[in-house]
Amino acid sequence: MNLVPVIFDFRDISQKYNLCVCLTTADVCWALADEGVGDQGLSYNSVIPDDSRAPCIQRVQIKTSPSGSVLELDVDPSLGSSTFTLTCYVEVPPDLKSIQGYCSLSSDARIVVRFGDAPAVEWCDGPIEMVLCAAPSHARRLTVTGTGLSGGEVATINLSGPAKAFDVDWVILNGRSGICSVSMMPVHGKTFALCALSMGKNQLKLVTSPDVTNSDACDFIIETYVDITESASTDLGINQILLWTNYQGAGKISAKLGAQLPRYLTNIKSAFDVT
């Protein structure tokens, strides 16, 4: 059996409700990490941190029955943020291609979910399905988040290896069935605020919409992949990439490689471990 990491992005949970995600595919069940996995098996994070507010989750429960494996959450938004992320694992048989099940949600609730390297999908109340897929061994998923940017700003995210001989670049995974090479989404349910995105070999360029007023921030999430040549990572034994940005505005840009913790980017090169 394989453990696949799952990231849930719960949005607009506006009333007390029991959230339920049931997996009905045979031999598939929710799980916590075992001793062979360094990550925590379950974690909760408010998307809008506020130390004065308690977490809105009152209870998390995983249970298995003949009808399926169920992840249940009791949520009361009056206690805290109604927009949050939850990470856990799902245990699947080798070579499984897809997972089926259903969600029980309030009508105004939204879930964006990521299973392993599969592209993000949005679930709502009713039947659900997730296609499982894996990125090539030389590719690593990179998540770039921008918060508080103003309209009409330009930001570039630069990429390199720690040495000229180490070949890394942004990559479009052509021909990879089920892999989403680039995905973009707004944060907190806002209107998408990017008007242009271009990807070169070593640079990702973003332009925020000039129509955004000063009272609205341009918040976004971009998921893409970094290509690390197998010869470089194997023969040279180099296990890091470097990321930095030229952005000097009032907003913030962060990056997360794979399942690692996100880090803010500046004009100083930051090293990210390749795991």
Side-chain angles (χ1 to χ4, degrees):
M1 301 293 280
N2 297 324
L3 284 176
V4 179
V6 183
I7 302 175
F8 288 107
D9 185 354
F10 290 91
R11 305 179 183 183
D12 304 325
I13 310 300
S14 60
Q15 58 179 306
K16 187 171 183 178
Y17 201 85
N18 176 261
L19 303 177
C20 169
V21 182
C22 179
L23 306 179
T24 58
T25 301
D27 299 324
V28 172
C29 61
W30 298 109
L32 300 181
D34 61 17
E35 294 180 355
V37 179
D39 295 330
Q40 293 181 343
L42 188 71
S43 67
Y44 162 91
N45 290 282
S46 172
V47 175
I48 309 174
D50 187 341
D51 293 338
S52 66
R53 304 176 70 187
C56 64
I57 293 181
Q58 296 178 305
R59 180 182 64 92
V60 178
Q61 179 172 284
I62 295 174
K63 60 183 181 182
T64 302
S65 68
S67 60
S69 181
V70 180
L71 175 67
E72 288 186 348
L73 290 81
D74 285 344
V75 178
D76 187 351
S78 65
L79 299 178
S81 173
S82 61
T83 300
F84 58 91
T85 64
L86 187 74
T87 63
C88 60
Y89 286 84
V90 64
E91 192 174 75
V92 300
D95 302 322
L96 185 70
K97 300 302 182 183
S98 64
I99 295 175
Q100 287 78 39
Y102 62 87
C103 279
S104 176
L105 307 170
S106 59
S107 59
D108 52 352
R110 301 164 56 211
I111 301 179
V112 176
V113 61
R114 301 166 182 83
F115 273 66
D117 289 314
V121 298
E122 185 170 321
W123 288 349
C124 56
D125 188 63
I128 58 174
E129 182 175 13
M130 173 61 71
V131 176
L132 299 177
C133 51
S137 60
H138 56 83
R140 299 293 186 274
R141 184 170 61 188
L142 185 78
T143 303
V144 176
T145 302
T147 56
L149 277 72
S150 300
E153 291 191 310
V154 178
T156 60
I157 293 91
N158 304 290
L159 167 72
S160 76
K164 291 183 178 179
F166 187 53
D167 189 17
V168 298
D169 52 42
W170 306 108
V171 61
I172 299 293
L173 299 175
N174 292 326
R176 297 294 301 184
S177 177
I179 293 288
C180 184
S181 296
V182 180
S183 66
M184 298 173 285
M185 66 193 75
V187 178
H188 313 322
K190 295 183 178 180
T191 301
F192 193 66
L194 289 181
C195 66
L197 180 148
S198 61
M199 181 184 294
K201 177 178 173 60
N202 301 115
Q203 189 178 83
L204 193 66
K205 183 178 180 180
L206 316 171
V207 183
T208 61
S209 174
D211 298 329
V212 176
T213 63
N214 293 332
S215 60
D216 294 325
C218 297
D219 297 345
F220 57 84
I221 298 173
I222 298 174
E223 291 185 345
T224 184
Y225 285 84
V226 173
D227 183 68
I228 303 169
T229 59
E230 185 175 356
S231 59
S233 59
T234 302
D235 298 342
L236 300 179
I238 297 172
N239 59 359
Q240 290 183 329
I241 63 170
L242 302 178
L243 290 168
W244 69 99
T245 181
N246 73 329
Y247 177 69
Q248 298 293 323
K252 294 181 179 181
I253 296 177
S254 64
K256 180 177 70 170
L257 187 64
Q260 299 175 25
L261 292 173
R263 299 169 60 184
Y264 287 116
L265 298 183
T266 67
N267 59 355
I268 299 175
K269 296 179 179 180
S270 295
F272 288 73
D273 291 336
V274 176
T275 58

